[in-house]
Amino acid sequence: MAKPKTAYACTECGGESPKWQGQCPNCGAWNTLVEGVAEGAPARYQGVAPTSRVTRLSEVDAGEQPRRPTGVAELDRVLGGGLVAGAVVLIGGDPGIGKSTLLLQALAALGGAARVLYVSGEESARQVALRARRLGVDAGAVELLAEIQLERVLAELQARAPEVAVIDSIQTLYSEALASAPGSVSQVRECAAQLTRFAKASGTALLLVGHVTKEGAIAGPRVLEHIVDCVLYFEGDTHSSFRLVRAIKNRFGAVNELGVFAMTEKGLKGVSNPSALFLSQHGQEVAGSCVMVTQEGTRPLLVEIQALVDESPLSNPRRLTVGLEQNRLAMLLAVLHRHAGVAARDQDVFVNAVGGVKIDEPAADLPVLLAIVSSLRGRPLPPKMVAFGEVGLAGEVRPVQRGQERLREASKLGFTQALVPHANRPRSPIEGMEIIAVSRIDEAVQALRERG
């Protein structure tokens, strides 16, 4: 029997090459070509969305599409209010972080009001039933199918016409039209396209579970994230009881929304006050701690930033961050030395965002510098003080968005002082809160000296 022809497919873009190369000739990514069976070209291609006639954009009905709440409030927040008919949602995360648990809870909550189907490709029907019993959910209305062949899955979807369906997971499905193994680039791309085509034509809301690589990105070609309407990422340490669900892409809502869950014996429970998770309870005032107000989508969160500055035995002192960008720390230390006269050139500097949360916005610049100054001098910041603001290379403290909402959230949680950029000073005073507005980093350091 003739040996099947092989080809090398890119895990980023899905492009194929007849031989291995260090760099993908299609997208330019390095070390992403993986060997697989060469697939013959299909007879014809079909678009993911149904074809429509040419019309004026002003004539298209752009009415707001109704949403179906999932019954899990934190998941609805990340989705933008609920599921939209025909939407395809991709959920990725580390193994064992709670993807299947969350979706089973959502389907159980939807089961009484909508037709739902759970397609399990990784577990048997008995294992799914045992999980539902362990979680204590009422899954009597949830239909279950244990199958990995795409054609059979599509046949059941068309026959039962569910309003919401879960595919767990997309990497386990395979199509008979392709000779490659399940999980290969071509299989994942083709199965996702076929399922998306069905969702757009039938109006079924599809939830796809995706595996992740060791770098934390969703496995398979990057085109998978372009096909779907919404991409959600599970974050959090499997050894911790808290989980974060973040929207990276959402065609029907805002991105960067954050849902916070606590893993319990009965599954994932939404956390109504997530700021309490990211604030440490100290018995006494400690140096090197500063509370900041970050903005995750439409939700302001209070997060404690901790810094430890210690004399370094090395000729090249270490700069280490957890939950923050490490390169930005080196820049902030240079700004602190040049424009505030505070040097840490012979000190190891460690910065941590408490609770495992990742902060990407530049509003953390000012709290990080205040925590470093506090640790370096061994003097704690004033109690009940919060801070936020971006710091530029010229030493200026720049404003951030939604400053009024951040201050209201801090006041609601009992904080009485706020060190903020001058442009974020509220127009009307906030009851019970003293606002310290600064324009430069040296003014912020001086304000700490006066109140320290």
Side-chain angles (χ1 to χ4, degrees), residues 91-177:
I91 302 179
D94 294 331
I97 204 165
K99 303 182 296 296
S100 301
T101 298
L102 177 61
L103 294 180
L104 186 57
Q105 290 180 238
L107 285 190
L110 283 166
R115 298 185 305 276
V116 295
L117 175 64
Y118 188 98
V119 180
S120 175
E122 298 183 348
E123 299 174 305
S124 66
R126 178 180 175 82
Q127 288 176 307
V128 178
L130 287 174
R131 179 192 290 120
R133 184 181 303 175
R134 185 174 67 252
L135 298 176
V137 297
D138 183 12
V142 178
E143 295 184 328
L144 178 63
L145 172 65
E147 181 59 63
I148 62 173
Q149 185 180 347
L150 175 66
E151 287 75 15
R152 294 177 185 172
V153 172
L154 287 174
E156 290 294 337
L157 288 172
Q158 293 169 355
R160 299 185 179 274
E163 296 173 80
V164 180
V166 169
I167 308 296
D168 187 8
S169 66
I170 186 64
Q171 275 83 10
T172 60
L173 295 187
Y174 76 96
S175 172
E176 289 285 359

Side-chain angles (χ1 to χ4, degrees), residues 70-104:
T70 63
V72 182
E74 291 296 307
L75 180 59
D76 289 337
R77 170 188 287 273
V78 179
L79 291 171
L83 292 170
V84 177
V88 182
V89 181
L90 177 63
I91 302 179
D94 294 331
I97 204 165
K99 303 182 296 296
S100 301
T101 298
L102 177 61
L103 294 180
L104 186 57

Side-chain angles (χ1 to χ4, degrees), residues 272-283:
S272 58
N273 183 21
S275 295
L277 302 180
F278 310 125
L279 296 178
S280 299
Q281 301 296 329
H282 300 293

Side-chain angles (χ1 to χ4, degrees), residues 340-365:
V342 179
R345 62 171 64 92
D346 57 347
Q347 307 284 323
D348 288 332
V349 180
F350 307 95
V351 180
N352 175 41
V354 174
V357 65
K358 295 180 180 178
I359 301 175
D360 298 324
E361 65 166 344
D365 291 351

Side-chain angles (χ1 to χ4, degrees), residues 158-377:
Q158 293 169 355
R160 299 185 179 274
E163 296 173 80
V164 180
V166 169
I167 308 296
D168 187 8
S169 66
I170 186 64
Q171 275 83 10
T172 60
L173 295 187
Y174 76 96
S175 172
E176 289 285 359
L178 303 177
S180 55
S184 63
V185 172
S186 55
Q187 287 285 7
V188 171
R189 180 176 52 194
E190 180 64 19
C191 291
Q194 292 278 7
L195 290 170
T196 303
R197 191 176 299 121
F198 165 79
K200 302 302 180 186
S202 64
T204 298
L206 277 180
L207 298 165
L208 309 179
V209 176
H211 296 171
V212 296
T213 62
K214 61 182 180 180
E215 290 83 13
I218 293 180
R222 198 63 183 267
V223 70
L224 183 63
E225 298 184 30
H226 293 287
I227 291 177
V228 301
D229 300 307
C230 182
V231 179
L232 306 182
Y233 272 90
F234 253 90
E235 299 176 0
D237 188 357
T238 54
H239 302 290
S240 172
S241 61
F242 302 115
R243 304 287 189 270
L244 307 177
V245 181
R246 191 186 303 272
I248 304 300
K249 170 188 176 182
N250 194 352
R251 289 175 179 159
F252 303 107
V255 296
N256 291 329
E257 284 287 359
L258 188 71
V260 184
F261 295 90
M263 179 65 79
T264 66
E265 295 180 355
K266 296 299 182 180
L268 290 165
K269 304 293 182 183
V271 178
S272 58
N273 183 21
S275 295
L277 302 180
F278 310 125
L279 296 178
S280 299
Q281 301 296 329
H282 300 293
Q284 58 184 0
E285 298 180 7
V286 295
S289 174
C290 180
V291 178
M292 73 163 291
V293 190
T294 184
Q295 191 79 21
E296 292 289 349
T298 59
R299 165 187 277 172
L301 292 177
L302 272 72
V303 179
E304 182 181 358
I305 303 295
Q306 293 181 344
L308 176 62
V309 181
D310 191 22
E311 185 176 353
S312 177
L314 307 174
S315 58
N316 187 18
R318 289 173 292 180
R319 307 285 188 254
L320 181 63
T321 63
V322 178
L324 297 155
E325 187 179 353
Q326 187 165 346
N327 292 334
R328 198 166 183 87
L329 174 60
M331 182 193 75
L332 292 176
L333 290 174
V335 173
L336 185 64
H337 178 219
R338 180 66 179 270
H339 298 286
V342 179
R345 62 171 64 92
D346 57 347
Q347 307 284 323
D348 288 332
V349 180
F350 307 95
V351 180
N352 175 41
V354 174
V357 65
K358 295 180 180 178
I359 301 175
D360 298 324
E361 65 166 344
D365 291 351
L366 185 58
V368 167
L369 289 181
L370 296 180
I372 291 173
V373 172
S374 172
S375 177
L376 185 62
R377 295 179 174 172

